[in-house]
Amino acid sequence: MIRVVQGDITELDVDAVVNAANPSLMGGGGVDGAIHRAGGSAILAECMEIRRTMYPGGLPLGEAVATTGGALRARHVIHTVGPIWRGGGSSEAETLGRAYRSCMRLAAGMDLRSVAFPCISTGAYGYPVKEASRVAIHAIREFIGETGWHGEVLLVAFTALDHLALTAALEDAL
Ligand code: APR
């Protein structure tokens, strides 16, 4: 089931929170910075190990990897990289949908039952939040429809504007 909530994703008691990372996995600003700050060095240590063993060139756009949640209430962090918005003509929607599906596939593979997503790519990466919300909900609903996964997905809005966009997109989809 999919729910829209407003707040700070680092405070949620869920099996996994999703991080809108960059390919380096070495942290950044926005939700990436918040998750690393609140989760602590254990998350970064596992990100460095993932870079060393699995992705020496960086995490490709649309892929997802999991680490410990560290000091977060969430047990795990699923790191993914969304597209940078370049106007809509560079397969941004396809890449964003792939990022959401990769996170869902990883969560299902880890037998997780609750996953919280931020609005991936809608901050520093500039993706218009209304369109990104539609892509996110379509990708998640498609994954659930194809696999029968029956956990809980929380779409976390940090701002009231994002909450409006996510709520409207979810209502349109139902
Ligand atoms: N909880 C929930 N959502 C948050 C939080 C938080 N604590 N902090 C920020 N957000 C929201 C933003 O308001 C935005 O809606 O997360 C969404 C994604 O914004 P960014 O964090 O800027 O991520 P993104 O647009 O995907 O850009 C990723 O920014 O931080 C760097 O390392 C990151 O290079 C990468 C890029």
Side-chain angles (χ1 to χ4, degrees):
M1 160 269 255
I2 304 174
R3 260 185 332 119
V4 176
V5 296
Q6 184 170 346
D8 180 343
I9 200 167
T10 64
E11 295 170 359
L12 295 180
D13 181 5
V14 288
D15 286 343
V17 294
V18 172
N19 180 25
N22 63 63
S24 77
L25 293 179
M26 294 296 106
V31 70
D32 195 3
I35 285 175
H36 279 280
R37 233 182 349 269
S41 60
I43 298 175
L44 188 60
E46 290 194 14
C47 285
M48 292 168 82
E49 188 57 14
I50 288 169
R51 281 294 312 278
R52 193 179 68 79
T53 56
M54 292 168 67
Y55 291 104
L59 184 66
L61 271 61
E63 298 300 316
V65 291
T67 66
T68 176
L72 293 176
R73 297 175 69 190
R75 269 64 73 194
H76 304 277
V77 178
I78 293 177
H79 306 260
T80 192
V81 183
I84 295 173
W85 178 254
R86 302 185 193 286
S90 313
S91 306
E92 292 98 325
E94 189 274 332
T95 305
L96 185 61
R98 195 151 39 80
Y100 278 93
R101 265 191 298 281
S102 297
C103 295
M104 289 300 296
R105 204 169 25 255
L106 189 51
M110 294 167 69
D111 223 6
L112 305 186
R113 308 302 298 275
S114 54
V115 185
F117 286 93
C119 299
I120 300 169
S121 284
T122 66
Y125 280 2
Y127 208 122
V129 68
K130 199 164 174 303
E131 178 54 23
S133 302
R134 201 191 56 71
V135 169
I137 288 164
H138 175 75
I140 293 165
R141 282 169 54 87
E142 192 178 59
F143 177 85
I144 291 173
E146 284 166 1
T147 62
W149 183 81
H150 48 276
E152 179 176 45
V153 174
L154 296 183
L155 298 178
V156 184
F158 200 45
T159 66
L161 188 69
D162 291 353
H163 190 263
L164 267 176
L166 280 170
T167 304
L170 188 57
E171 278 160 11
D172 288 352
L174 296 180

